[in-house]
Amino acid sequence: GTDVVVVEAASTFRGSARFDDDLDVELRIERLGTTSMAMATAIRRDHELLVDGRIVHVFVDAASMGKKAIPDHMRAALEAYA
């Protein structure tokens, strides 16, 4: 009965990658709120930051699409990454 929607997404491009580059992609939970979470993003090649950004997700009731508190079992799983 819970869904997650993206309400904000932003990226800053700082460098270019090529098709055959090995890239490290990092997603880190910055904030875990009552009904939402914010994640910091980073893409690096050999420690060089190519892209950084932020994604905000809101938890909603799947039927009504109204905001919903993060369910306890999801919060427990996410807190390990916060």
Side-chain angles (χ1 to χ4, degrees):
T2 301
D3 206 347
V4 182
V5 296
V6 175
V7 297
E8 179 185 329
S11 295
T12 302
F13 295 88
R14 302 181 182 283
S16 299
R18 300 212 182 262
F19 179 75
D20 59 348
D21 284 347
D22 287 326
L23 302 174
D24 294 314
V25 178
E26 176 186 326
L27 298 170
R28 179 179 45 82
I29 297 175
E30 281 184 323
R31 184 186 56 77
L32 198 54
T34 303
T35 61
S36 66
M37 71 175 175
M39 296 173 42
T41 63
I43 300 175
R44 293 181 175 85
R45 177 189 54 228
D46 298 327
H47 304 290
E48 177 190 3
L49 182 63
L50 301 177
V51 179
D52 65 335
R54 184 170 191 255
I55 303 170
V56 178
H57 294 88
V58 172
F59 290 74
V60 297
D61 179 85
S64 70
M65 295 302 287
K67 285 184 183 182
K68 181 178 181 177
I70 300 171
D72 291 339
H73 69 282
M74 288 183 180
R75 178 177 294 283
L78 291 168
E79 282 177 341
Y81 300 98

